Amino acid sequence: MQTDSSFTFVLFGGTGDLSMRKILPALYEAHRAGMLADSGKIVGVARHEEDRAGYIDWVNGHVKPYVSKDGLDEAAWESFLARIEYVKLDLSKAEDFVLLRDAVNKLSGTRVFYLATGPSLFVPICHALASVGLNENARIVLEKPLGYDLRSSNAINDAVGEIFAEEQIYRIDHYLGKEPVQNLLALRFGNALFEPLWRREWVESIQITIAEELGVEARGDFYDNTGALRDMVQNHLLQLLSIVAMEPPHSMDSDSVRDEKLRVLRALKPIDPRDIQRVAVRGQYHAGVIRGTAVPAYATEPGVKKDSTTETFVALKVEIENWRWSGVPFFLRTGKRLADRVAEIVVNFRPVPHSALGPTALRPGANRLVIRLQPNETIRLYCLAKQPGEGMNLASVHLDLAFDQFFRENQMEAYQRLLLDVINGRLALFVRRDEQEAAWRWVEPILNDWSAANKAPKPYAAGTWGPAAASAMLAQHGTCWLEEEN
């Protein structure tokens, strides 16, 4: 399906890592699939001394390796490059924004300004766009992190909000664009089977994990001033939690969906500082081995302070104080240099109250739903069945919805879906300001406690699943992380 109209997509940070790995490849895939209006243009903006030909050479050298897992379509690639323009821009020079305005005014359609830059540049860029009249009839896309805490987040939102209306602002969280997250909504609200079970009477616990094998790579300076709680929990994990726990929306329009997510975030049980040690685990990776390769400790990574107390791992026990979820623990976990790269949601249903078939049917987790977001996007429902042969012996079996096998169409990557939504003016999968504020407000007591204590995080070896305290926290509730059962 093609975008509704022509567009001009202006990409600040046009030579940055995010543009190279995600944004330009996603736009190419949309182009190759015929989803972009023929007249749509992409304008790369950076401070490098390039002309258009030089920028095209850069795109060929740096972006091409990240497109098309199933092989590059050379004809589609060449026609995609024909969409691209380039404007050299120094943010400190007002005259450069005049040049940008002149370039954009020659192009037609909806204007999208994507800020793939550090958050410190969001406000100066927005002010400069407004100074040359480019904030009218336009959409602005803001990448995370949006601020360092509630105060700085509000400062950015206040400043951007003076220039762009809320309906013009697209705060992107790429996890909301993943196919299984969309299918979670379809499973819950499109099937009579799951919705009656999606509540405290039938759900024993829920786990949400985003684990990475990678370390901080070349982002040591940034990460050492951020940490896992700000980088992953405040946005990705709390957004996934709100999708899992939300009430059925009135419709799938943007405000109906986001209103229900906001209600979940506002229903999060506040963290009492006296309970933080019991419900929050923070860790930092030490040297270890991942898939046979030795990797260094976090404190020896480039850009990281040698005595750093920044956390690279967080595990939390979260409660939602509402009618549907009261008493159900939600366990959130994220970390770097863990044993595997995986993002998944695990819904553990309660065991049967009595079994005439033996203890297997009473085992926690005998019935569960596992929604895998990466690396392979699947939804798997576990239940018990009789083993072939003599006697009534039960075994765990599963039903799979493997998208790549069931649906023959090419799946959209998350960024591809979200960029098309920006171009078409669909806000449902983007974070509204009041959602962001509610998330920061809930996270802040933990941030403040960890900052005041200045204690070293619990160590864990790279290539493991984090500190033992994260497993002990679940054991107190008679459960364990999914990989520990296997």
Side-chain angles (χ1 to χ4, degrees), residues 339-365:
D340 199 3
R341 173 180 175 264
V342 62
E344 65 187 7
I345 300 163
V346 180
V347 181
N348 290 311
F349 295 101
R350 296 187 185 277
V352 295
H354 169 74
S355 174
L357 303 174
T360 303
L362 300 174
R363 178 175 58 83

Side-chain angles (χ1 to χ4, degrees), residues 176 252-255 257-258 261 421 426-430:
L176 298 184
M252 294 308 292
D253 70 75
S254 59
D255 280 330
V257 172
R258 297 190 294 180
K261 288 164 56 191
D421 278 2
R426 297 189 287 257
L427 278 158
L429 299 182
F430 296 84

Side-chain angles (χ1 to χ4, degrees), residues 185 188-189 246-261 263:
L185 296 174
R188 281 195 60 195
F189 306 136
M246 65 188 277
E247 294 296 316
H250 174 263
S251 70
M252 294 308 292
D253 70 75
S254 59
D255 280 330
S256 293
V257 172
R258 297 190 294 180
D259 285 346
E260 297 304 335
K261 288 164 56 191
R263 289 188 177 97

